[in-house]
Amino acid sequence: EIVLTQSPGTLSLSPGERATLSCRTSQSVTSSYLAWYQQKPGQAPRLLIYGASSRAIGIPDRFSGSGSGTDFTLTISRLEPEDFAVYYCQLYGSSPLITFGQGTRLEIK
Amino acid sequence: QLQLQESGPGLVKPSETLSLTCTVSGDSITSSTYYWVWIRQPPGKGLEWIGNVYYSGSSYYNPTLTSRVTISVDTSKNQFSLKMTSVTAADTAVYYCARPVISAWSYDYWGQGTLVTVSS
C-alpha cells in the first residue's frame, strides 16, 4: 500500500504570500497519477491539478504543481482570500486503487 | 453540463444497510470511458475512496471495505448506486459520487455530497 503524507498539517500565511504544500509518497509513483484538490467547508473537493503539474479547467495560474518520484508540491504563488481552505493530494495506484493524503489546512495568519 | 446528485436516507441504524444513488444528468452514464466513483468523508476528517464502477458493471473496491460494499450501475436510469452492509457509527460520513473528465486518474466532477449518519 502506498501512503501519502502531506506537510505541513496546517500552514498559516497572509494574503499575498506564497504557499508551498508538500505531498510525499511512500514509494516512487508515476506523476500522471498524482492530483491535488481544494476543499472549502461544506463543499465537495475541487480538482486543481492533475498529472502532478497540469491545471484543471478554470483554475487560476497562481496554482501550480510540480514534482516526481516520491515528492510532489502544490504552490500558490500569491494567496488570495478565497484560497484559504484544505488541500488534498490524491494518487491513483495499485491497492487501494485511490489514496488521499490526510490534507493540509491553509489558514489566514 | 454534467451534474451528479447523491440521494438516499440521511439516517441509518447500526447493523443495517446504507443505500445511496448517484443520478447523472447532462451526459449518459454509458458515454464515459472512465470509471465512476464513490468517496466518503467522516465529519472533520479526510477523504476515503470507497470504490469505482464502469458502466458495464466492472468494479473495484477499497480493500478495507470490500466485504461490505457493492457498487452497481443502472443505465436505464442513468444512475449508479452504493450499498454498504452492516454499518456502524464509523460509517457516518458525507458520501460523494464523482467522475473523471480530463484525466482517468483524478476527479473533476463531483456531486454536492450527502451526509449519512449511523445511529439508533
Side-chain angles (χ1 to χ4, degrees):
Chain A
E1 177 183 350
I2 300 176
V3 177
L4 278 62
T5 302
Q6 293 187 241
S7 62
T10 301
L11 184 59
S12 299
L13 294 170
S14 300
E17 291 193 293
R18 181 185 186 90
T20 303
L21 287 67
S22 172
C23 177
R24 183 162 293 177
T25 61
S26 58
Q27 303 173 34
S28 184
V29 301
T30 303
S31 298
S32 300
Y33 298 160
L34 197 288
W36 288 92
Y37 298 83
Q38 175 194 69
Q39 188 179 33
K40 297 180 180 179
Q43 297 184 15
R46 174 193 183 196
L47 178 66
L48 298 175
I49 301 289
Y50 66 97
S53 61
S54 298
R55 270 188 301 277
I57 295 172
I59 302 304
D61 60 7
R62 63 179 182 274
F63 290 91
S64 63
S66 62
S68 63
T70 61
D71 290 302
F72 297 88
T73 300
L74 174 69
T75 301
I76 310 172
S77 59
R78 290 183 58 177
L79 285 166
E80 298 287 343
E82 61 267 27
D83 298 337
F84 292 91
V86 179
Y87 292 83
Y88 294 95
C89 56
Q90 174 241 308
L91 178 69
Y92 182 96
S94 55
S95 180
L97 198 60
I98 293 159
T99 308
F100 291 91
Q102 82 279 20
T104 289
R105 180 177 304 276
L106 178 57
E107 63 177 27
I108 299 177
K109 187 173 181 180
Chain B
Q1 172 93 10
L2 174 65
Q3 292 187 325
L4 290 76
Q5 178 69 57
E6 305 90 349
S7 60
L11 181 64
V12 181
K13 290 182 168 56
S15 79
E16 295 191 344
T17 296
L18 178 160
S19 295
L20 295 175
T21 295
C22 182
T23 300
V24 179
S25 59
D27 195 10
S28 170
I29 200 167
T30 62
S31 70
S32 174
T33 58
Y34 302 146
Y35 280 73
W36 304 82
V37 69
W38 284 101
I39 290 165
R40 70 179 181 179
Q41 185 172 37
K45 297 188 178 180
L47 300 162
E48 180 182 32
W49 171 64
I50 300 171
N52 286 12
V53 68
Y54 194 57
Y55 74 85
S56 65
S58 172
S59 56
Y60 297 89
Y61 301 127
N62 189 318
T64 65
L65 299 170
T66 189
S67 63
R68 299 194 293 127
V69 168
T70 303
I71 300 176
S72 59
V73 175
D74 187 336
T75 56
S76 67
K77 295 181 179 179
N78 223 34
Q79 296 175 335
F80 63 107
S81 298
L82 168 69
K83 288 191 188 303
M84 181 180 295
T85 61
S86 305
V87 297
T88 69
D91 296 310
T92 294
V94 175
Y95 287 75
Y96 295 102
C97 56
R99 202 202 92 168
V101 173
I102 292 177
S103 162
W105 328 121
S106 56
Y107 299 94
D108 25 4
Y109 280 87
W110 294 66
Q112 65 186 25
T114 187
L115 175 62
V116 178
T117 301
V118 179
S119 174
S120 55

